[in-house]
Amino acid sequence: MGTVGGSAVLSRTLATVPGETYVIDFWLRNAGGTPNQFKVSWDSTVLASHVDVPAQPYTHYQFTVTASATTSALAFEARQDPSYWYLDDIAVTTSGADITLGFGTGAADHRTGRGTDAVAGARKGILDSLSGGTSIDTIDIGALRGTAGDAALKAAIAQVERALAEVTDAGAKLGAGKTRIDGQKAFVGSLMKANERTLGILVDADIEEESTRLKALQTQQQLGVQSLGIANSASQALLALFR
């Protein structure tokens, strides 16, 4: 990519989850020559900018970004007057961090749990028992009495509400992932339909071409037969003059 005297822009708007961390990967090669320029940006943030750099082989670039809205724009801008930039293997993935499904830390806050399997360590499932406190799985309000009971009940309600909020957030992240998959599925479906239409056009064009050639050959054959008949009748008329 890269145009002469100006910049070519390749961009894509992606469905993202606010606050989610993403990793951008791509490979870039510069054939060399100046003037040249290459810039990659995430929304309004410039991640990398190269100006009049020498030739380089395919080089791997990786950036970690955070989404601030439900959609984010990834853009590549390039100028290369004497030759080209080569951009390949672009990928945008989540950072791989655990999805928070728990309750924070400390006695005044909510306990922390994350979306990994229940183990005997600090990271446990949302319903697992937690050392030094209680989880949703072990909440018991049957014995709550008096002012102390009210405080404990309030803490339990806050804990459940926080858990529900985190589960809702996880559902939003799953929904965003489904949206991305649906978008790729729709794109592949459109590409397949376009290929099928193109193949159909080529087949129809071949059939029409062959049909035209067949008609031309048939016409030539008919003309040949007619010419032969005319020639035969002329010779018969010439012989009749000598009788």
Side-chain angles (χ1 to χ4, degrees):
M1 63 182 297
T3 57
V4 177
S7 297
V9 179
L10 174 65
S11 63
R12 181 73 180 271
T13 300
L14 307 172
T16 54
V17 178
E20 181 72 21
T21 302
Y22 297 87
V23 177
I24 300 173
D25 287 278
F26 61 88
W27 291 80
L28 181 66
R29 173 193 167 204
N30 181 22
T34 57
N36 67 68
Q37 180 179 357
F38 186 88
K39 182 171 67 175
V40 56
S41 60
W42 176 262
D43 287 335
S44 59
T45 303
V46 177
L47 303 178
S49 180
H50 302 307
V51 179
D52 292 341
V53 295
Q56 69 176 43
Y58 272 111
T59 305
H60 180 228
Y61 290 83
Q62 185 177 89
F63 303 94
T64 301
V65 296
T66 302
S68 60
T70 56
T71 59
S72 301
L74 175 64
F76 298 90
E77 182 178 345
R79 174 183 177 179
Q80 178 51 281
D81 287 24
S83 55
Y84 297 98
W85 290 94
Y86 296 87
L87 182 63
D88 196 13
D89 199 16
I90 305 170
V92 179
T93 57
T94 56
S95 63
D98 293 326
I99 299 175
T100 300
L101 291 177
F103 325 105
T105 57
D109 198 349
H110 305 286
R111 303 294 298 180
T112 297
R114 293 183 179 271
T116 54
D117 293 334
V119 293
R123 294 181 176 180
K124 298 185 176 183
I126 192 171
L127 298 181
D128 294 318
S129 298
L130 303 175
S131 59
T134 59
S135 72
I136 294 177
D137 187 40
T138 58
I139 290 177
D140 183 8
I141 63 174
L144 300 181
R145 299 289 187 274
T147 303
D150 292 340
L153 180 59
K154 182 179 179 180
I157 293 174
Q159 185 177 359
V160 172
E161 288 177 346
R162 176 62 183 271
L164 291 175
E166 296 296 343
V167 171
T168 301
D169 181 63
K173 294 176 182 178
L174 293 176
K178 180 180 181 299
T179 300
R180 291 195 295 269
I181 293 173
D182 290 341
Q184 294 295 330
K185 181 179 178 181
F187 172 76
V188 172
S190 299
L191 184 61
M192 292 178 63
K193 290 179 181 178
N195 290 337
E196 291 174 356
R197 288 195 300 268
T198 303
L199 181 60
I201 292 172
L202 293 175
V203 172
D204 292 341
D206 291 342
I207 293 176
E208 291 177 359
E209 181 180 356
E210 294 300 327
S211 176
T212 302
R213 292 180 58 186
L214 178 60
K215 290 180 180 178
L217 292 175
Q218 290 175 345
T219 302
Q220 292 176 0
Q221 183 181 20
Q222 292 174 359
L223 291 174
V225 172
Q226 291 178 0
S227 299
L228 183 60
I230 293 172
N232 289 335
S233 62
S235 62
Q236 295 296 328
L238 183 61
L239 291 175
L241 295 175
F242 292 95
R243 292 178 182 173

